Structures are given as C-alpha cells and as structure tokens.
Amino acid sequence: MTIAEAKLSVLFVCLGNICRSPTAHGVFAKLLEESGYGRLIAVDSAGTGDWHLDHAPDKRTTYVAASKGYDLSQLRARLVTPADFEQFDYIIAMDRANLRELQEMQPQGYSGHLGLFLDFSENSLHEVPDPYYGGEGGFELVFGLVEEASIGLLQHIELSHSEALSS
Ligand code: 4NP
C-alpha cells in the first residue's frame, strides 16, 4: 500500500532516524497489522539530521526491538522534507527539538496533526529521550515509551477518524 492509497498516514520523526523513529515505525506498523488497520493506515519514519542517510537502524535499537519480536532490519534512514507535509496526516516528533525543526518546515495551512509523540501517552515524560550517546537502558526506555504512546495514538486515530476508517 502506498501512502496515497492509505486512508490515513503517520510519519514518525527524530534526529537521526536510526533509533527512536524507526522503533516507533516498527512498533506502530505491527500494532496496525494486529488491529486490522494494516491496509488502511500507512506509516513511515524520517530524521531531521542527515548523518545516517540510507543506514539501517542502530544495532542497539535493532537488538532491543528483536528481543521484543520486532524486525527493524529492513528500515533505512531518510530526511524529513517539506513534501512530507503534503503526504502525511500525522507528523509525530519524538522530542521538542524535532518538533521545532518541523514547525519551521511546516507549510502554511497544513491541515494535519503535528505534535509530540508522548502527548498520546499517560507517561509523565513529555519527550522520548535521545538514546544515542547513552547505555543499553536508554534503548529499553525508548522501547517502552514507544509501545505505550503507540497504543494511545491508535486510540486517538480510531476516535478521530472512525468514518474514514470504516468506509
Ligand atoms: P535518533 O538518535 O534521533 O533517535 O535516531 C540519534 C541518532 C544519531 C545521532 C543522534 C541521535 N547522531 O548524532 O548521529
């Protein structure tokens, strides 16, 4: 399914597109499949920085995800672009720095939702912390936050777009 064929589309954005947003991409895609939305809602991820273009996710990210049953090995890093605002209904930032960059890129009149991922979670954290320069525990934390917020985001989408998703 292409983005254009989907009823709704979600783009997850972080800095490098090798740790947090690929985790969100893989976890949300599997949640969509399991919930019967795999052919209705498209998902992708991108980064605001260009250091890792075309790279697979970080080994630590891939390892933690694999230990929970998610295969991220086929994902490749790409940059977020202004054209993404024409394609995606939801553009979801992992932290406030990502969000600021996206707000600067956002065209006037963007009718989709641009916001923080953890706004869809009950967690007391508001940002998914960048795990890149930290230890293994940071990657586990990212994974847990992403799982929780993915469920919240899907519930929000189901409530907000029930008509589009049932037609
Ligand atoms: P991400 O993590 O934004 O979650 O993919 C990072 C990956 C790479 C870098 C920073 C954060 N970096 O500086 O190369």
Side-chain angles (χ1 to χ4, degrees):
M1 175 184 59
T2 65
I3 306 287
E5 287 164 349
K7 300 266 187 195
L8 278 171
S9 52
V10 178
L11 179 69
F12 294 106
V13 177
C14 63
L15 180 58
N17 194 207
I18 56 168
C19 301
R20 292 166 292 173
S21 61
T23 302
H25 185 161
V27 167
F28 197 66
K30 191 166 177 187
L31 182 61
L32 291 177
E33 283 296 330
E34 289 169 355
S35 312
Y37 295 117
R39 302 182 67 81
L40 295 173
I41 304 175
V43 56
D44 197 5
S45 63
T48 61
D50 63 1
W51 307 283
H52 303 282
L53 296 183
D54 288 324
H55 291 188
D58 185 283
K59 284 195 174 60
R60 298 162 295 177
T61 292
T62 309
Y63 178 83
V64 170
S67 76
K68 322 272 185 192
Y70 297 84
D71 178 11
L72 306 184
S73 63
Q74 302 308 308
L75 302 180
R76 294 295 177 268
R78 74 166 178 90
L79 267 179
V80 63
T81 72
D84 287 317
F85 286 87
E86 291 159 25
Q87 303 241 35
F88 289 93
D89 301 297
Y90 284 80
I91 299 185
I92 305 292
M94 296 296 135
D95 64 31
R96 292 193 181 94
N98 312 145
L99 182 59
R100 271 194 300 276
E101 294 232 16
L102 290 163
Q103 284 165 338
E104 282 169 20
M105 192 181 283
Q106 178 181 12
Q108 287 236 327
Y110 174 59
S111 59
H113 175 104
L114 172 60
L116 287 174
F117 195 21
L118 296 194
D119 284 352
F120 296 102
S121 149
E122 300 286 302
N123 203 284
S124 58
L125 289 180
H126 295 293
E127 303 178 281
V128 183
D130 182 346
Y132 189 66
Y133 291 110
E136 203 68 44
F139 289 82
E140 290 280 350
L141 172 63
V142 165
F143 196 88
L145 292 170
V146 163
E147 276 193 317
E148 201 182 319
S150 291
I151 292 166
L153 174 59
L154 184 55
Q155 283 172 348
H156 167 88
I157 288 177
E158 284 178 310
L159 284 173
S160 313
H161 304 277
S162 54
E163 231 167 83
L165 293 174
S166 62
S167 60

